[in-house]
Every structure is written in structure tokens, then in C-alpha cells.
Amino acid sequence: MKRNPLLHIELSQVIASMGHGDVLVIGDAGLPVPPGVRRIDLALSQGVPTVEQVLKAVLSELQVERAVVARECLAPNGAAPSWYTQQVPQLPAAPQVLSHNEFKTLTRQAVAVVRTGEFTPYANVALVSGVVF
């Protein structure tokens, strides 16, 4: 049995197959998944699992070069949401910010979109794979 926090076999396989610059999206329950993009559906019920919980597990295996969020998820002062900032230093301190429509366009490039049970609007993050050397 694996020792890492990420036990979901399909998600672990996707991460293992990612190369430098590949995109993995972790999204709320309502984020549309474009046709042709792999969907990994973890949503069990409202709020289960949260984006933060999935993000924490994914970051146990994925080297992230940069992260992208929608402007609409930021606090009025421009601060990143708590589910993002709780993961620092595993994530870049400041994510790249796009409009929600631009974010949805970015999902077309993803190797997979992970659907969570998150019901917080715009609680989505695109993770761009880095390298460990």
C-alpha cells in the first residue's frame, strides 16, 4: 500500500504521467469540464471533499511550477482565498490571476479536471507541473 497521503489510484496515475508544463485543474462541484478532457470525479456530497483537502493530497505528489485562479475567487483586497494560502509553501505565494471565463478556457488544456464537492463559488485552481531538478 502507498505511504503518501494521495491514495486515489486514477489521480495518482495522472500525476505520475504529467510532464513539465502540463496542467491539472482542481475544481468546485460546478466547474464545467470541457469535452475530451479527463474528469476525475471525487464529489461525494456538498462540501465533501473540499478543494483544500484535495489540493493538499495532490501537492503531496505533484511538483508545481505555478498556479492559476480566477479573479472572482479573490478577497476584495486582492488576497488569495484561504484554501489556497493554507497550502503555502507548496504553492507559489501569488497565483496567476485570470477572469473566470479565461480560467474555463484554460481547462481545455488540462490533462484532467478533478471535481470536488466544494460549493464555494469560483473555488478552482489550475496547477502547472514543474520539475524536481
Side-chain angles (χ1 to χ4, degrees):
M1 182 170 184
K2 285 182 60 161
R3 290 175 35 164
N4 289 5
L6 182 57
L7 298 177
H8 192 277
I9 190 167
E10 185 180 5
L11 184 50
S12 191
Q13 287 172 336
V14 165
I15 292 169
S17 70
M18 290 176 69
H20 185 213
D22 285 344
V23 177
L24 176 68
V25 174
I26 300 172
D28 61 31
L31 182 67
V33 179
V37 175
R38 186 175 188 172
R39 174 196 311 256
I40 300 175
D41 198 336
L42 302 181
L44 182 61
S45 61
Q46 182 174 342
V48 180
T50 65
V51 165
E52 184 175 351
Q53 290 168 328
V54 174
L55 184 56
K56 182 177 181 179
V58 165
L59 292 174
S60 73
E61 292 194 8
L62 180 63
Q63 179 69 37
V64 176
E65 179 174 277
R66 65 186 168 90
V68 183
V69 299
R71 180 175 296 107
E72 290 83 350
C73 81
L74 301 178
N77 66 358
S82 63
W83 53 262
Y84 184 93
T85 57
Q86 295 299 316
Q87 304 309 319
V88 174
Q90 293 101 322
L91 286 172
Q96 179 182 348
V97 179
L98 303 174
S99 73
H100 185 58
N101 283 334
E102 291 170 321
F103 186 91
K104 288 192 295 186
T105 299
L106 174 65
T107 64
R108 296 179 196 156
Q109 300 172 25
V111 296
V113 174
V114 181
R115 181 174 175 257
T116 69
E118 184 73 57
F119 269 46
T120 304
Y122 308 110
N124 309 297
V125 62
L127 304 172
V128 180
S129 180
V131 292
V132 295
F133 56 87

